[in-house]
Amino acid sequence: MPSLTYAEENYLKAIYHLSDDGKHNVSTNDLSKEMKTKPASVSDMLRRLSDKAVINYRKYYGVTITEEGKKSALQIIRKHRLWEVFLVEKLMFSWDEVHEVAEELEHIKSNLLIQRLDDFLGNPKYDPHGDPIPDEYGDVKARPRMPLNELQMNDGGQIVAVKDSSAAFLRYLDKVGAYIGARIKILDKVEFDGSLEILVDNKKTLFMSKDVAANILIIQTS
């Protein structure tokens, strides 16, 4: 894989996510918003990444990620998610504290360190937010999941991931007791605004807005 700088890795990871794992073109404007920088700076970076053959870039036509770029992006994501597991399980960080720290650690270049970290953690398949961890070959085994707000009355499921991993959202979920692994059942779905009344683990009732529920991903069990 090509040698990438810290900044180049951040851009490549953003392109991978914005392209829906490499399925679509990404516009310069969308990337500019994601990276919180001017379009001219984005264009300069895209030319650098194109020179390294990790993206295809044509001015005014947007950018696509190459197969080599996908491999590099997945390895960055792998490192990030493994470090999040380590921070939560071994250093007792809460799940709302780990993203920024993992953003720093994901740029460590040692493949041997990352492989030993993976083995030390017991080769986890998912990070603390429920996102799948790519293996050393870049393979991702994602499980089928759906937004909680799509469930209907009396449907049940298990929370397996979140779409919004911002610290504020995760702290909110901690406050109301909605966590990865929780079993839920829909007791009521309000026609007016789509808000939900939910039974958690057969003992606690929560009232949740449609917007919050849309950012919680579940595996349906009934």
Side-chain angles (χ1 to χ4, degrees):
M1 286 185 287
S3 176
L4 301 173
T5 67
Y6 184 115
E8 288 168 348
E9 288 188 341
N10 284 338
Y11 268 85
L12 186 63
K13 187 174 69 167
I15 292 166
Y16 180 80
H17 286 311
L18 288 172
S19 67
D20 189 20
D21 303 344
K23 298 181 182 72
H24 309 294
N25 284 26
V26 176
S27 73
T28 302
N29 284 338
D30 285 344
L31 192 54
S32 175
K33 291 176 185 176
E34 177 71 16
M35 303 305 293
K36 298 179 175 62
T37 191
K38 296 177 181 178
S41 298
V42 171
S43 296
D44 289 342
M45 176 59 75
L46 293 180
R47 283 190 284 270
R48 286 163 55 183
L49 291 173
S50 182
D51 289 343
K52 294 188 176 183
V54 291
I55 64 166
N56 296 309
Y57 171 58
R58 289 176 62 198
K59 196 172 183 180
Y60 308 121
Y61 290 89
V63 56
T64 57
I65 193 166
T66 66
E67 286 303 314
E68 194 64 29
K70 289 179 188 177
K71 291 177 185 177
S72 295
L74 284 165
Q75 289 309 307
I76 300 164
I77 292 166
R78 166 176 163 78
K79 288 185 282 186
H80 182 102
R81 293 177 179 172
L82 282 172
W83 283 119
E84 287 193 334
V85 175
F86 176 77
L87 291 167
V88 169
E89 292 190 358
K90 305 302 179 182
L91 298 187
M92 307 307 166
F93 280 69
S94 61
W95 68 337
D96 61 284
E97 298 174 321
V98 297
H99 180 73
E100 290 187 1
V101 182
E103 286 279 303
E104 301 290 330
L105 293 169
E106 71 184 26
H107 300 289
I108 293 173
K109 300 297 185 182
S110 173
N111 291 328
L112 179 60
L113 171 62
I114 299 307
Q115 190 54 53
R116 290 189 177 177
L117 175 65
D118 191 13
D119 292 340
F120 174 69
L121 295 171
N123 310 114
K125 304 300 181 188
Y126 301 94
D127 74 8
H129 310 111
D131 291 315
I133 300 173
D135 66 17
E136 61 184 306
Y137 306 107
D139 292 329
V140 182
K141 292 180 172 58
R143 51 193 166 191
R145 52 198 192 176
M146 62 187 292
L148 175 55
N149 66 300
E150 292 184 6
L151 293 187
Q152 304 301 319
M153 280 275 293
N154 297 315
D155 284 348
Q158 183 175 25
I159 298 174
V160 294
V162 291
K163 289 175 69 176
D164 182 348
S165 58
S166 67
F169 184 70
L170 298 178
R171 285 194 294 268
Y172 170 78
L173 294 185
D174 282 338
K175 182 177 180 179
V176 301
Y179 61 95
I180 301 295
R183 296 191 174 277
I184 56 94
K185 183 177 181 179
I186 306 301
L187 300 179
D188 191 19
K189 190 168 187 176
V190 180
E191 182 179 358
F192 173 68
D193 62 0
S195 59
L196 302 172
E197 182 181 359
I198 301 165
L199 181 65
V200 180
D201 293 333
N202 291 315
K203 58 185 179 182
K204 182 178 181 179
T205 301
L206 298 179
F207 295 91
M208 188 174 290
S209 72
K210 179 181 178 180
D211 288 343
V212 168
N215 280 291
I216 297 175
L217 300 175
I218 63 101
I219 292 176
Q220 190 169 2
T221 57
S222 64

